[in-house]
Amino acid sequence: GGGTGGSGAGGGTPTGPINVLIWNNALAYGHASRVNAIQYLKMREATDNIKFDTTYAHTGTATDGPSDSFSSSFDASVFADDKLDKYDVVFFLDTTGTTIDDGQKASRRQALQDFITKKGRGFVGTHSATDTYQNNSWPWYVDFIGANFSSHSQAGASGTAQYYQNNTHPILMDAKTPNPWNRKEEWYNFNRNPLSTSIAGLKIILSCHDQSFTSERPTAWVHEMPVMAPATRGGRLFYTAFGHATSAFQEKEVMDLIISGIKWAAYRL
């Protein structure tokens, strides 16, 4: 046992910090929160035994908008087998578009897919991680994350999330997620209900309704991938549609949910 994480399977539970790669490249709409949230994530490193690596993340000044000042320069070289090996979790923090695609698109995608399927590692996505690889541009990713974003309420709309069918998932229990949970958000609709896709291992944990769209729909879910050789466990995904505004990451309940999602994805819950 022991080690600093990133070791995949092995004897016992690792005791070192959970190593998380923050990836926040937005090649369509850019959220300022994908940069501004980092300071709030880092505030949880010491208390939650997590190390957030921002080596490949955008950390400059970001503004909300469709034209992204970062989009012309990003370093996706981390999406290679040897470089991903050190991480327990890849975190798509409000990504959009064909986020990891560069001149070596095929190998970048394969490295992330192998990280999940062949190494049994973890993935966490917030908000526009589902506004990533739209229009069937990477079918594996969309089936992995479960759905693509299709529309949203106005930002800051009042809404309510609740445990889906009274689900008592370990993430909700660890985070002590309120039930019901009233908050303001840019509430997402999706191009399909993740449950209707017959994807094995996908479970909705939170559903929601809001003042703009009253129909109940998913807003947080998990995906437990099947075990594939040489992995000895299946990769794990946690996604929440929360996180449009920087203020979302300043809400303790939202951050608790994300941190617990990271721990669960890393097999530390």
Side-chain angles (χ1 to χ4, degrees):
T4 55
S7 55
T13 302
T15 54
I18 300 169
N19 288 309
V20 178
L21 172 71
I22 291 186
W23 182 257
N24 62 352
N25 192 41
L27 290 178
Y29 184 88
H31 292 80
S33 52
R34 77 192 190 285
V35 172
N36 298 337
I38 292 173
Q39 61 182 309
Y40 302 109
L41 290 163
K42 283 189 160 290
M43 287 167 67
R44 297 291 292 260
E45 286 185 322
T47 53
D48 290 277
N49 199 25
I50 297 174
K51 179 74 179 90
F52 291 106
D53 185 348
T54 60
T55 303
Y56 300 90
H58 298 302
T59 55
T61 303
T63 55
D64 285 319
S67 59
D68 193 313
S69 59
F70 297 135
S71 62
S72 59
S73 62
F74 63 96
D75 180 5
S77 66
V78 68
F79 293 98
D81 262 349
D82 55 337
K83 290 188 177 179
L84 284 179
D85 254 344
K86 66 190 260 193
Y87 301 105
D88 301 293
V89 174
V90 168
F91 186 169
F92 273 22
L93 174 59
D94 290 16
T95 54
T96 59
T98 56
T99 179
I100 68 171
D101 292 2
D102 61 7
Q104 300 180 53
K105 174 177 89 172
S107 65
R108 302 294 181 230
R109 292 182 177 193
Q110 193 62 51
L112 179 59
Q113 189 170 336
D114 289 349
F115 178 82
I116 301 299
T117 60
K118 293 184 178 178
K119 299 177 185 176
R121 304 285 174 85
F123 182 97
V124 169
T126 52
H127 198 55
S128 57
T130 50
D131 193 18
T132 300
Y133 293 105
Q134 289 275 13
N135 304 314
N136 216 32
S137 55
W138 185 8
W140 177 85
Y141 176 85
V142 180
D143 283 346
F144 172 56
I145 204 165
N148 274 138
F149 153 85
S150 60
S151 64
H152 59 75
S153 72
Q154 72 262 31
S158 295
T160 302
Q162 58 275 328
Y163 292 14
Y164 178 69
Q165 295 183 348
N166 297 312
N167 188 317
T168 54
H169 192 274
I171 293 172
L172 302 177
M173 298 297 97
D174 184 67
K176 299 179 173 61
T177 300
N179 186 34
W181 185 2
N182 300 308
R183 57 182 302 272
K184 290 177 166 54
E185 183 58 80
E186 182 189 79
W187 302 87
Y188 268 10
N189 292 308
F190 300 95
N191 67 335
R192 66 189 187 195
N193 183 330
L195 281 187
S196 68
T197 56
S198 303
I199 297 173
L202 203 147
K203 295 177 186 160
I204 294 170
I205 61 174
L206 288 175
S207 59
C208 71
H209 57 272
D210 69 276
Q211 65 190 57
S212 307
F213 303 103
T214 55
S215 60
E216 185 179 357
R217 60 202 188 279
T219 196
W221 57 80
V222 297
H223 190 178
E224 296 188 70
M225 300 288 281
V227 179
M228 289 175 59
T232 56
R233 65 189 190 191
R236 281 180 165 182
L237 170 141
F238 166 72
Y239 169 77
T240 176
F242 295 162
H244 171 73
T246 302
S247 57
F249 297 91
Q250 295 173 274
E251 295 175 45
K252 183 179 186 300
E253 295 86 356
V254 172
M255 187 58 75
D256 287 346
L257 180 70
I258 293 168
I259 294 294
S260 295
I262 289 169
K263 292 176 179 176
W264 179 84
Y267 283 84
R268 300 285 190 101
L269 268 195

